[in-house]
Amino acid sequence: MEAIITATELADELAGPTPPVLLDVRWQLTSPNTPPFDGRAAYAAGHLPGAVYVRLDGELAAAPGENGRHPLPDPAVFRAAMRRAGVSAGRPVVVYDGGQGWAAARAWWLLRWTGHPDVRVLDGGLPSWPGTLSTDMPEPAEGDFEPAPGAGRLLDADGAAALARSGVLFDARAGERYRGEVEPIDRVGGHIPGAVSAPTTENVGPDGRFLPAAELRDRFKGLGASEAAEVGVYCGSGVSGAHEVLALAVAGIPAALYVGSWSEWSADPSRPVAVGPDPQ
């Protein structure tokens, strides 16, 4: 099953007999001193025709706490959000955001992890769409999707630490955060000992679209993701890390996600922290 879809392919499918459910999950990471991004207002100003808005904060993630800034959502809340948007197991889903791809990837990962068989991300997000936008507020028939968590591997802090020793654990954050040179959000800078720096921004081209699968495969293999290696990913709070898992899927490499990520790891003073460019 393909993990991404182009705007041209999406337009063709929307005009076909079984159009996919469209989810608009626009979201932006903001600092503690910056007003939060209003994704619902952006959606209301213009969205793909037929798309339903889904909130990352609150519907694709629970409230911040001891498990990080974007822990797994409450299953009942996620189920209700997906059904409200018209998601059913027997109908394909396409997710998009404002172009960065992080929030769309989070929705993609959650739907895949909870058992939906056909979910794709619009490559390049809303900026890639050549058609007109709509301000209509669709009210789709309620879906019947029943989430069944566990369709993919999920890492906790101990599992991430173990994988950094036994396989390959990618850190999807910017290199300067990995090295501990800056840390704008969390308690301390640095990385999980043994993790390899692999910024998710290097998975896309200048247009925000994913690099070709062969280039992504070469990139990840050059960073240690051999066919024999088990692969995992973490980031700041489990959002950009989902984008890296998506990039790995495009490359044909399965990967687990540590949802708590650095926001959970760094909050525990007993967890070791490595700094500098060396994984250890």
Side-chain angles (χ1 to χ4, degrees), residues 40-270:
R40 187 175 294 279
Y43 166 82
H47 51 265
L48 267 62
V52 176
Y53 178 69
V54 175
R55 291 182 294 116
L56 189 149
D57 292 308
E59 293 182 323
L60 303 181
E66 62 181 12
N67 296 123
R69 284 193 307 280
H70 291 105
L72 291 172
D74 179 282
V77 172
F78 178 65
R79 177 181 183 270
M82 293 301 99
R83 290 190 168 202
R84 171 185 60 81
V87 175
S88 296
R91 187 176 172 190
V93 177
V94 173
V95 191
Y96 72 90
D97 58 24
Q100 188 178 44
W102 293 4
R106 172 72 176 224
W108 166 86
W109 180 84
L110 272 170
L111 280 164
R112 294 292 293 153
W113 182 68
T114 53
H116 198 288
D118 190 352
V119 190
R120 289 161 293 170
V121 169
L122 175 59
D123 195 16
L126 187 66
S128 72
W129 182 249
T132 58
L133 299 181
S134 172
T135 56
D136 292 340
M137 298 295 182
E139 296 183 3
E142 183 169 336
D144 62 10
F145 180 58
E146 188 63 48
R153 189 179 173 205
L154 178 69
L155 295 172
D156 59 12
D158 290 340
L163 185 57
R165 296 189 299 268
S166 64
V168 179
L169 181 66
F170 288 134
D171 184 318
R173 299 172 301 158
E176 57 268 25
R177 292 185 70 189
Y178 169 88
R179 295 187 296 271
E181 296 167 357
V182 298
E183 182 43 65
I185 304 174
D186 293 311
R187 183 184 68 85
V188 63
H191 58 270
I192 296 174
V196 176
S197 180
T200 194
T201 52
E202 296 179 17
N203 296 325
V204 298
D207 58 0
R209 302 183 191 187
F210 282 104
L211 300 176
E215 290 185 30
L216 289 171
R217 194 174 304 116
D218 288 344
R219 179 188 186 223
F220 290 123
K221 287 188 174 181
L223 292 171
S226 66
E227 294 181 2
E230 196 171 351
V231 178
V233 180
Y234 76 96
C235 58
S237 64
V239 179
S240 66
H243 189 270
E244 186 116 302
V245 173
L246 175 58
L248 283 154
V250 172
I253 302 170
L257 178 65
Y258 173 24
V259 172
S261 286
W262 191 248
S263 61
E264 179 186 53
W265 182 279
S266 64
D268 183 350
S270 71

